[in-house]
């Protein structure tokens, strides 16, 4: 694979783990937080319960998508204590605040690939988007080694053939165009960086007229118009 890029494997049969047995006797990592996910849930985590949670929030997933989300949840649960992937734990909060929150933009936008996810961390929003849109290619930009290793396992386990990893910091001189063969289609991020520096890093990779979808940024969208006004040829539009 090209330098800075790690490719996902081909799609195929997905093997899903069984129900997650609840136990409230789990340990506490970091001296504060119980990493036993069942501590946070109203009932044991199962694929059926996950399907009900998606339905309760009027978010439609098919069987294959549900299988992948369940595998993803299982990986997050098993690796969170050692890698500190997220402070959002339990199936209810994970489905709403990670999975649906990441993929909800598909209700308003039709992504054009390749889509770059800046600061993907454990895969948000890129992995949920890739699960929902297998026809679009996603690049997960993440420079931290442990997170990159986790993303590699996610891509392999979920058989996400439409995902690559850019295992470096995304900067204006990053070799994204050379690695991926064409300019980026769209950009998404839930990283905490504010909008102006993010714009400066990604503009060289966008075709004229393409959009960057800032799905969650520190301070909300308050700095979007001012940031765009300082860059010639860039305009802003908020979606709610």
């Amino acid at each position: 694979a090209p330098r800075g890029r790690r490719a996902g494997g081909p799609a195929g049969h997905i093997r899903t783990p069984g129900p997650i047995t609840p136990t409230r006797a789990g340990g506490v990592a970091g001296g504060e937080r119980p990493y036993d996910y069942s501590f946070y849930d109203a009932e044991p985590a199962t694929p059926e319960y996950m399907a009900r949670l998606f339905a309760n929030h009027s978010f439609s997933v098919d069987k294959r998508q549900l299988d992948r989300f369940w595998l993803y949840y299982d990986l997050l649960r098993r690796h969170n204590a050692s890698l500190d992937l997220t402070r959002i734990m339990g199936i209810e909060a994970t489905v709403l605040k990670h999975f649906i929150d990441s993929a909800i933009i598909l209700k308003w936008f039709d992504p054009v690939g390749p889509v770059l996810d800046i600061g993907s961390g454990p895969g948000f929003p890129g992995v949920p988007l890739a699960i929902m849109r297998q026809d679009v290619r996603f690049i997960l930009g993440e420079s931290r080694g442990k997170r990159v290793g986790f993303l590699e396992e996610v891509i392999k386990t979920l058989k996400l053939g439409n995902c690559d990893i850019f295992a470096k910091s995304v900067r204006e001189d990053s070799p994204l165009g050379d690695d991926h063969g064409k300019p980026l289609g769209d950009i998404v991020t839930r990283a905490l960086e504010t909008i102006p520096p993010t714009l400066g890093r990604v503009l060289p990779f966008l075709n004229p007229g393409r959009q960057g979808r800032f799905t969650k940024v520190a301070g909300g969208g308050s700095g979007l118009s001012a940031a765009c006004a300082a860059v010639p040829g860039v305009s802003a539009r908020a979606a709610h």
Side-chain angles (χ1 to χ4, degrees):
R3 189 166 62 91
R5 174 181 176 183
R6 308 192 186 194
H13 178 66
I14 303 171
R15 298 185 62 183
T16 59
I20 297 171
T21 304
T23 168
R24 293 182 179 269
V28 176
E32 295 286 341
R33 216 163 41 229
Y35 279 94
D36 174 8
Y37 270 45
S38 61
F39 180 86
Y40 301 89
D41 294 332
E43 66 179 86
T46 64
E48 292 74 23
Y49 185 31
M50 178 176 282
R52 279 189 281 124
L53 290 170
F54 277 118
N56 289 345
H57 292 289
S58 302
F59 195 88
S60 178
V61 296
D62 61 28
K63 177 62 166 59
R64 191 170 182 82
Q65 290 164 344
L66 179 65
D67 287 346
R68 284 190 164 109
F69 276 120
W70 175 254
L71 283 170
Y72 190 19
Y73 172 74
D74 182 64
L75 289 172
L76 287 165
R77 175 183 177 273
R78 288 194 284 112
H79 293 289
N80 199 15
S82 60
L83 300 179
D84 195 25
L85 299 169
T86 175
R87 297 191 177 193
I88 294 174
M89 288 176 280
I91 190 170
E92 296 143 1
T94 300
V95 167
L96 177 60
K97 296 182 179 180
H98 276 327
F99 297 168
I100 294 177
D101 187 71
S102 291
I104 196 70
I105 60 168
L106 296 176
K107 289 181 178 263
W108 296 283
F109 296 115
D110 185 23
V112 174
V115 178
L116 173 64
D117 174 13
I118 301 176
S120 189
F124 305 122
V127 170
L129 289 169
I131 289 172
M132 297 300 297
R133 289 296 302 268
Q134 284 282 290
D135 59 317
V136 177
R137 191 149 205 88
F138 292 85
I139 304 167
L140 309 179
E142 177 56 49
S143 61
R144 291 166 290 183
K146 290 184 178 180
R147 300 288 175 92
V148 170
F150 176 75
L151 290 174
E152 289 175 333
E153 183 170 355
V154 168
I155 290 172
K156 179 180 178 181
T157 303
L158 275 60
K159 301 187 185 300
L160 289 176
N162 61 329
C163 272
D164 294 327
I165 300 171
F166 185 77
K168 298 180 180 180
S169 295
V170 175
R171 298 151 41 129
E172 62 183 27
D173 58 349
S174 295
L176 279 166
D178 292 337
D179 278 359
H180 295 273
K182 62 178 180 178
L184 299 173
D186 288 316
I187 293 168
V188 294
T189 182
R190 291 207 324 175
L192 294 178
E193 180 182 63
T194 54
I195 292 172
T198 301
L199 273 176
R201 289 194 287 124
V202 303
L203 281 176
F205 311 119
L206 287 173
N207 272 323
R210 292 308 313 152
Q211 300 182 59
R213 322 295 174 88
F214 295 93
T215 61
K216 181 176 290 185
V217 186
S222 58
L224 180 58
S225 296
C228 290
V231 182
V234 176
S235 59
R237 180 171 66 89
H240 303 282

